[in-house]
Amino acid sequence: MDVKKDIVELLVRLTGLDEEVLTAAVEVPPAGMGDYALPCFKLAKSLRKAPQAIATDLAERASGPDGLPPSLDRVRADGGYVNFFLRQSAFTAGVVRATLDAGDRLGTSEEGKGKTVLLEYSSPNIAKPFHVGHAFTTILGHSLARIYGHLGYPVVRMNHLGDYGTQFGKLISAYLRWGDEEALEKDPIAELFRIYVKFHKEAEKDPALEEEGRMHFRRLEEGAVQEKEIWQRFRDLSLREFERVYQRLGVSFDNYNGESFYSDQIPAVVKMLEEKGLLEESQGAKVVRLDEYNLPPCIVLKSDGTTIYASRDIAAVLYRMREYGFYKNIYVVGTPQALHFRQVFAVLEKAGVPCAQDCIHVGFGLLKFADGKFSTREGNVVLLEDLLGQAVAKTHEIIVKNMETRGQDSSGEEMRAIAERVGIGAVIYTYLKNGRERDIVFSWEDMLDFEGDTAPYVMYTYARIRSILRKAAESDQTGTATDEALLRLDLPEEFDIARQLDGFSEAIRKAAEDYEPFYLTRYIGMLARVFNKYYNSYSILSAGDPELVRARLALCESVASALRIGTWLLGIEVAERM
Ligand code: ARG
């Protein structure tokens, strides 16, 4: 419902001022001062009147013969302000109707039409454990991909696998020396991690190993068959492992063009930078100086002629530009890599590549464990799989206990499926609950609190509404509410829900604009809260006459719809019962 537009239209008619000026001026005042307000102080000059006089005059004429738009109840002057009060039931009815009519399209828009957004996220390093740090980029990127998609942007989801570099030379060397075939089949990442750690230990004693590793990488870059085969095997096995976690999270990608994919495009990058006279020799390496950006030089080729992380990223931007002609090229990568991306983008800008400005690094903080209590399998890294497993197991315990207290049957497969959704939802919600640059302090208690600002709370609210709607269907209290009936929604609590519902588009828009899904997390958390407040004070199914019941059911249904779509945009899948 665009009540603000109604107000602006009214004001344009009354003042003759510019629509844009008035849109910027109308604001949401503190509670009790009306639903919208126009401060008249800035208008004093153009209208040549004191703010107070302007306010009195506008309030009077607004309430005059031409009348208020149907969405407004009254207008009042208060000092230098004009305060606007919505006609609450009309507003509520309008929002409910609009939400139900929108269905799955709630919050969608055309703004992204034809503007391709590339979202690069997850991007783990192959042969390494998939730890909780990679969960942040995976969850954040996945949510942003859905958000941009919902706003109509064609989205390309990319997994820039860390599948290249000197470390693979070392790994090949380690594999040829100490690799255990059986262990590799059984638990590939653990085995690769084991020989990698061993390599480093041995190399301390015997520095010649380092040279051997570099040799294998050089051979890999040159396309040697043996190296290529071993490397391909590491990559396939790793992906197979990662895929398990992706499936569990419901995450997918349009391509897995990792670092290796760009390696043969480096000569073209080098040529381009050379032609522009940007490449300089420094201690045998080839670098681009970035003094004017106050950045350290960006190394493009190492002294032994092999490529490096940054050069592969430069090649990737050029490739993506050719392949997709992107509107935005977004990197969801931890904040510690901010300098790396500033260098890469600066090199491109210096080379006069126009799309350098459309490359965006979206950083995020760290995950910390409040109580230090987390059993880990591999050294100090917490594996995402373990985190998800524990979340689901703990959720299962809670749900079973809740059901037993309610005297319900808690056995069976359905409970497991519900616990899976809720447990994973709880993890996702925890990552997306606050601004992404803040560190996350992880606590089981907080994240599984069914009364807290958590996924279980939101999901439980959804399931509760679905249960009401099921009961309504069972007792034949269905049928669509007419517009007339919806006007019966005149409680202040119903108006609060409608105001919150009305904010869906704004929440998704802001989430996209700032690359901050937490606007949506906050939105659905608040929606669940205002709904429960209402639900705890009023009955839905025994509200009295059938018209009122139908109206309230319609309100419930619109809340459920916003919760379902809102959580989906975060990457959370609701459960129909809990
Ligand atoms: N593989 C890297 C890591 O795990 C992240 C890759 C980020 N993306 C990029 N285009 N550099 O730290």
Side-chain angles (χ1 to χ4, degrees):
M1 282 273 284
D2 218 341
V3 182
K4 186 166 170 182
K5 216 166 133 202
D6 287 350
I7 294 174
V8 170
E9 263 167 31
L10 173 70
L11 289 171
V12 169
R13 175 156 62 80
L14 296 178
T15 61
L17 290 177
D18 203 50
E19 187 181 323
E20 237 167 81
V21 175
L22 290 165
T23 306
V26 172
E27 58 181 35
V28 176
M33 314 289 288
D35 300 298
Y36 286 95
L38 173 74
C40 300
F41 309 97
K42 282 195 196 145
L43 309 182
K45 213 165 155 200
S46 43
L47 295 178
R48 278 185 242 147
K49 243 199 252 181
Q52 230 156 325
I54 298 175
T56 320
D57 173 59
L58 285 179
E60 211 166 277
R61 288 199 295 132
S63 317
D66 270 344
L68 291 169
S71 55
L72 291 180
D73 180 54
R74 64 206 143 87
V75 177
R76 202 176 64 195
D78 192 355
Y81 293 87
V82 186
N83 293 332
F84 300 85
F85 294 81
L86 300 185
R87 206 175 138 219
Q88 301 198 345
S89 60
F91 177 80
T92 304
V95 170
V96 169
R97 176 67 68 222
T99 307
L100 294 179
D101 284 351
D104 284 347
R105 293 190 334 277
L106 183 66
T108 54
S109 115
E110 299 259 295
E111 70 166 72
K113 217 170 155 193
K115 300 179 193 157
T116 302
V117 168
L118 309 187
L119 261 160
E120 193 212 280
Y121 56 101
S122 200
S123 312
N125 299 323
I126 65 166
K128 289 263 182 70
F130 198 106
H131 58 79
V132 292
H134 284 118
F136 209 155
T137 150
T138 307
I139 288 168
L140 183 57
H142 178 55
S143 173
L144 287 173
R146 285 194 171 171
I147 288 171
Y148 274 96
H150 209 64
L151 292 175
Y153 294 87
V155 174
V156 183
R157 298 158 303 165
M158 302 190 293
N159 194 332
H160 188 84
L161 288 178
D163 60 0
Y164 227 55
T166 331
Q167 71 269 31
F168 293 101
K170 296 180 186 175
L171 204 56
I172 290 168
S173 163
Y175 173 76
L176 291 170
R177 284 168 175 266
W178 312 294
D180 174 344
E181 230 6 78
E182 210 174 302
L184 191 63
E185 257 315 305
K186 230 167 92 204
D187 192 348
I189 307 272
E191 171 62 5
L192 290 172
F193 197 60
R194 179 189 72 84
I195 59 173
Y196 190 67
V197 171
K198 187 169 167 78
F199 182 91
H200 282 274
K201 257 201 217 119
E202 297 291 326
E204 264 170 39
K205 288 181 261 165
D206 177 9
L209 274 183
E210 292 282 348
E211 186 40 48
E212 187 181 298
R214 269 197 293 277
M215 178 269 291
H216 283 301
F217 178 55
R218 214 168 28 241
R219 285 176 53 80
L220 178 64
E221 281 221 291
E222 286 160 11
V225 175
Q226 186 192 30
E227 275 80 359
K228 190 89 197 279
E229 257 175 33
I230 299 175
W231 168 85
Q232 187 68 45
R233 180 113 191 279
F234 294 165
R235 192 181 192 272
D236 294 346
L237 287 170
S238 305
L239 260 185
R240 196 178 79 193
E241 295 294 294
F242 299 157
E243 208 53 56
R244 260 207 321 271
V245 181
Y246 291 144
Q247 257 181 24
R248 217 164 167 193
L249 288 170
V251 169
S252 56
F253 298 93
D254 296 306
N255 70 60
Y256 291 82
N257 294 343
E259 290 183 44
S260 63
F261 181 82
Y262 303 101
S263 99
D264 64 1
Q265 301 170 29
I266 308 288
V269 172
V270 171
K271 188 162 161 253
M272 187 262 289
L273 293 174
E274 229 148 34
E275 276 169 11
K276 307 220 169 186
L278 299 180
L279 224 44
E280 287 178 34
E281 194 94 10
S282 167
Q283 293 165 23
K286 290 213 189 304
V287 307
V288 176
R289 301 193 66 91
L290 298 170
D291 300 333
E292 65 273 46
Y293 294 89
N294 261 327
L295 293 171
C298 181
I299 303 177
V300 178
L301 281 180
K302 289 199 286 188
S303 51
D304 65 358
T306 55
T307 64
I308 192 169
Y309 188 52
S311 37
R312 293 191 280 275
D313 262 325
I314 296 170
V317 173
L318 297 173
Y319 172 83
R320 292 171 188 181
M321 185 176 78
R322 286 194 308 272
E323 189 70 15
Y324 303 104
F326 56 78
Y327 168 70
K328 278 183 188 186
N329 175 26
I330 301 171
Y331 297 83
V332 185
V333 182
T335 304
Q337 293 197 32
L339 176 63
H340 162 74
F341 284 109
R342 292 220 313 270
Q343 287 178 296
V344 168
F345 303 160
V347 168
L348 290 162
E349 193 179 281
K350 202 167 164 171
V353 176
C355 70
Q357 274 92 317
D358 307 320
C359 294
I360 299 139
H361 172 221
V362 170
F364 51 82
L366 296 172
L367 182 72
K368 296 175 177 163
F369 291 86
D371 39 17
K373 269 190 267 149
F374 201 99
S375 40
T376 58
R377 266 192 283 171
E378 264 149 271
N380 283 326
V381 293
V382 178
L383 301 185
L384 177 57
E385 222 170 4
D386 290 349
L387 184 82
L388 296 180
Q390 291 198 31
V392 170
K394 283 176 198 284
T395 305
H396 189 248
E397 265 170 48
I398 297 174
I399 294 180
V400 166
K401 213 160 91 202
N402 285 350
M403 300 209 82
E404 278 167 5
T405 11
R406 280 186 260 146
Q408 291 165 324
D409 177 22
S410 61
S411 60
E413 269 313 294
E414 196 190 355
M415 285 307 116
R416 299 235 160 251
I418 293 171
E420 176 78 17
R421 284 192 186 185
V422 178
I424 286 175
V427 172
I428 294 176
Y429 197 96
T430 301
Y431 277 100
L432 302 181
K433 187 170 151 175
N434 291 304
R436 57 184 157 79
E437 296 195 16
R438 287 233 316 246
D439 289 346
I440 300 171
V441 182
F442 198 89
S443 131
W444 289 118
E445 230 164 89
D446 289 350
M447 101 181 207
L448 294 178
D449 181 356
F450 276 54
E451 294 296 318
D453 179 15
T454 61
Y457 177 76
V458 171
M459 294 174 82
Y460 188 65
T461 308
Y462 175 81
R464 172 183 262 171
I465 297 176
R466 299 298 302 168
S467 147
I468 300 169
L469 296 171
R470 275 196 304 274
K471 279 197 194 122
E474 279 160 23
S475 59
D476 264 347
Q477 285 173 289
T478 43
T480 27
T482 58
D483 286 340
E484 199 59 34
L486 289 181
L487 283 171
R488 302 276 300 273
L489 299 170
D490 55 4
L491 295 166
E493 287 83 355
E494 289 165 337
F495 179 63
D496 285 346
I497 295 174
R499 286 215 78 163
Q500 186 62 22
L501 269 179
D502 189 43
F504 195 98
S505 298
E506 176 73 0
I508 181 172
R509 205 187 48 72
K510 275 170 89 169
E513 189 173 291
D514 294 352
Y515 317 103
E516 283 284 21
F518 95 98
Y519 284 112
L520 264 171
T521 320
R522 209 159 269 191
Y523 170 86
I524 54 167
M526 191 53 119
L527 180 60
R529 206 143 298 274
V530 289
F531 177 80
N532 281 317
K533 211 171 120 210
Y534 168 66
Y535 178 79
N536 291 333
S537 327
Y538 298 94
S539 33
I540 312 286
L541 290 175
S542 42
D545 71 284
E547 264 220 331
L548 185 59
V549 173
R550 269 202 285 275
R552 289 190 176 176
L553 284 172
L555 178 67
C556 288
E557 202 179 330
S558 52
V559 171
S561 170
L563 289 179
R564 179 176 53 81
I565 297 166
T567 45
W568 183 82
L569 289 167
L570 297 177
I572 297 173
E573 210 174 333
V574 286
E576 292 302 301
R577 53 182 102 227
M578 257 171 88

